[in-house]
Amino acid sequence: MPKAQTLTTPAVSGKLLATAAGFTGLMLLLAYLVAFDQGALSQSGMYLHELMHDGRHLLGVPCH
């Protein structure tokens, strides 16, 4: 009679964890820029400011 196999979960590798943390940080920064920045950090030109402004309207965030 064969032995029963046990299911084990693999440990999360450090590289995967670092990638997930970096992606999460990038998404949080992007959410801040679109939702709460109101142009304070996007002073590099009107194009970026308007892009973020349109993003706020798209997401339903009140901006004015």
Side-chain angles (χ1 to χ4, degrees), residues 15-45:
K15 185 176 181 181
L16 178 64
L17 190 59
T19 302
F23 180 75
T24 301
L26 185 64
M27 290 297 107
L28 287 172
L29 177 64
L30 185 62
Y32 169 77
L33 285 174
V34 172
F36 304 112
D37 179 42
Q38 299 289 332
L41 294 179
S42 58
Q43 295 297 324
S44 62

Side-chain angles (χ1 to χ4, degrees):
M1 197 192 261
K3 291 184 177 181
Q5 293 181 347
T6 59
L7 297 176
T8 59
T9 57
V12 177
S13 69
K15 185 176 181 181
L16 178 64
L17 190 59
T19 302
F23 180 75
T24 301
L26 185 64
M27 290 297 107
L28 287 172
L29 177 64
L30 185 62
Y32 169 77
L33 285 174
V34 172
F36 304 112
D37 179 42
Q38 299 289 332
L41 294 179
S42 58
Q43 295 297 324
S44 62
M46 288 303 292
Y47 178 75
L48 185 58
H49 174 78
E50 290 299 322
L51 181 67
M52 296 300 168
H53 183 253
D54 292 344
R56 284 189 288 275
H57 283 291
L58 181 67
L59 295 174
V61 176
C63 58
H64 48 93

